[in-house]
Amino acid sequence: MATTTTRIFNFSAGPAVLPLPVLEQVQRDLIALPGVGMSIMEISHRSKPFDAIIKGAEADIRALAGVPDNYRVLFLQGGASLQFSMVPMNLLTPGGTADYILTGAWSQKALKEAKKVGKTNVAATTEAEQFTRVPGQGELQLTSGAAYVHMTSNNTIFGTEWTDVPRTGDVPLVSDTSSDMFSRPIDIARHGLIYAGAQKNLGPSGVTLVIVRDDLLARSQATLPTMLSYAVQAENASLYNTPPTFGIYVLGLVVKWIRSEGGLEAMARLNERKAARLYAEIDRSGFYRGTAQKESRSRMNVTFRLGSEDLEKKFIQSATAAGFDGLKGHRSVGGIRASIYNAFPEAGVDSLVQFMQEFERTNG
Ligand SMILES: *Cc1c(COP(=O)(O)O)cnc(C)c1O
């Protein structure tokens, strides 16, 4: 049976590596939560112990990210992909226009769903440059009085990330933060709504974190399918129906772990350090070639190529044999992608850098 001593370095883009102390606590308490005598998977979502778990997760999120009082924290299902639909269904009111900033495949998918609901405008796109960067403020063609502006803070597939959020004036900014949520400080007040599927940086798949400014809840029409209404989900504190209890439990532990590690500032420093080490190796000799333009490089998903697809295949095969998993780039773009989220250990980055140098030495 596998034990913690046999864990390998997991570079998967998602579901992705979780903090070892969290997995150990889940394992230890899986059969019976302390003081409860039943598994987290066996208790009612309306029980006292679960009430403490979901309220505790929310309180930790609020403390960690400085969530202002006029924002609601929701734990939903359907992944970030359901948010592609819920955002326009709730926020794109009749007659309004939603602005979309296209920085990769996920924002394109978000736009596709919004088009089914109402009028949209592409405020900027970097598709002509194969999404190798995110646009600057000056490139945004924002609609005045738009219903909202949608962005993707980190482009998991293309390895680009915003360093700051764009200014949208009074128009609510909606951000898909699925792959960089809680990797650095976030100014919640500059957003109208933030969403993130948990399975990259926050926990297991099955739970989606949504943080929404409470005045926006008034836009949810009563005609919406009940489960798809932010207003209903907020009124019922994410308990309209059975929520993803296990996912919320683990997400709560992950947030507690981030706090115990020093919070978002500490995560930012750690993530900067890990990414800088990897990019320095990519830039060192020309054997590896980073795909994202330098000012837009992601600290979460480091994407690069080698001289040929054959060499990339060999790189991935050798890396797998050396105990690294998940380095293959997304099927749509190829190449190599090292995802190094919060929980990815620094030692793993050092090992990969060593491996890259050795691979260059024997194949360069
Ligand atoms: C993975 C990902 C998604 C899709 O998430 P699901 O939870 O699988 O729907 C959406 N946006 C971004 C930025 C992602 O990284």
Side-chain angles (χ1 to χ4, degrees):
M1 196 178 113
T3 67
T4 51
T5 57
T6 60
R7 277 171 71 79
I8 62 173
F9 289 125
N10 175 9
F11 290 91
S12 168
V17 61
L18 286 165
L20 185 57
V22 167
L23 293 177
E24 286 170 339
Q25 183 172 349
V26 171
Q27 182 185 48
R28 193 187 67 220
D29 296 344
L30 191 66
I31 307 286
L33 285 168
V36 178
M38 296 175 276
S39 171
I40 174 64
M41 292 182 284
E42 300 171 311
I43 59 172
S44 166
H45 56 295
R46 311 215 182 266
S47 65
K48 263 201 179 127
F50 187 73
D51 186 60
I53 285 168
I54 192 168
K55 290 218 174 92
E58 175 171 347
D60 278 316
I61 287 167
R62 287 185 176 278
L64 176 71
V67 180
D69 287 344
N70 62 324
Y71 284 75
R72 306 294 295 263
V73 176
L74 306 177
F75 302 100
L76 306 182
Q77 298 191 57
S81 298
L82 187 59
Q83 294 310 305
F84 297 165
S85 299
M86 277 182 74
V87 164
M89 288 172 86
N90 285 266
L91 304 185
L92 182 46
T93 40
T97 300
D99 281 349
Y100 276 74
I101 304 173
L102 302 186
T103 52
W106 294 119
S107 34
Q108 285 178 315
K109 284 192 170 164
L111 172 65
K112 182 179 165 208
E113 298 308 311
K115 280 182 169 170
K116 297 177 184 174
V117 177
K119 209 169 149 222
T120 58
N121 166 54
V122 174
T125 174
T126 52
E127 188 173 14
E129 293 161 84
Q130 288 76 49
F131 294 123
T132 53
R133 66 176 182 93
V134 298
Q137 180 79 32
E139 294 171 74
L140 306 182
Q141 312 241 306
L142 300 173
T143 306
S144 80
Y148 60 86
V149 178
H150 183 281
M151 66 176 284
T152 311
S153 60
N154 183 75
N155 298 283
T156 326
I157 295 172
F158 293 92
T160 65
E161 186 177 23
W162 294 75
T163 48
D164 195 11
V165 292
R167 290 182 301 280
T168 60
D170 289 338
V171 176
L173 179 65
V174 173
S175 186
D176 175 0
T177 63
S178 292
S179 51
D180 68 350
M181 190 69 179
F182 297 157
S183 67
R184 61 182 174 190
I186 179 167
D187 190 350
I188 306 285
R190 289 183 66 184
H191 300 79
L193 186 147
I194 297 164
Y195 63 90
Q199 69 273 17
K200 273 113 189 194
N201 226 353
L202 303 176
S205 63
V207 56
T208 307
L209 178 64
V210 173
I211 301 177
V212 55
R213 209 174 64 208
D214 56 14
D215 63 286
L216 294 174
L217 299 174
R219 292 196 198 176
S220 302
Q221 313 264 330
T223 49
L224 282 176
T226 307
M227 282 292 291
L228 302 185
S229 164
Y230 290 131
V232 170
Q233 295 290 357
E235 267 162 40
N236 291 277
S238 310
L239 292 166
Y240 178 79
N241 76 328
T242 315
T245 51
F246 182 76
I248 294 167
Y249 164 69
V250 180
L251 193 157
L253 296 180
V254 170
V255 173
K256 267 198 173 55
W257 172 81
I258 297 173
R259 293 190 72 194
S260 75
E261 292 291 302
L264 298 184
E265 302 277 358
M267 281 300 128
R269 285 193 297 273
L270 170 73
N271 290 323
E272 285 290 343
R273 209 158 57 224
K274 288 188 296 187
R277 243 177 255 169
L278 211 37
Y279 284 120
E281 177 56 25
I282 288 168
D283 293 339
R284 190 177 50 80
S285 74
F287 182 76
Y288 301 101
R289 183 171 48 81
T291 53
Q293 297 185 34
K294 282 189 182 166
E295 333 71 66
S296 294
R297 281 176 162 177
S298 168
R299 302 154 310 127
M300 300 280 100
N301 311 97
V302 178
T303 50
F304 58 97
R305 310 232 40 164
L306 280 77
S308 71
E309 283 184 21
D310 282 345
L311 203 53
E312 287 168 349
K313 215 178 258 168
K314 190 173 177 199
F315 180 92
I316 288 159
Q317 275 167 3
S318 314
T320 306
F324 303 104
D325 195 71
L327 282 166
K328 199 165 190 272
H330 190 270
R331 60 190 185 279
S332 63
V333 295
I336 317 291
R337 171 174 55 176
S339 298
I340 48 173
Y341 301 116
N342 285 346
F344 189 86
E346 277 191 283
V349 171
D350 292 339
S351 289
L352 179 62
V353 166
Q354 265 177 19
F355 171 82
M356 288 167 72
Q357 290 173 352
E358 180 61 16
F359 188 83
E360 179 178 347
R361 203 180 56 75
T362 48
N363 295 275

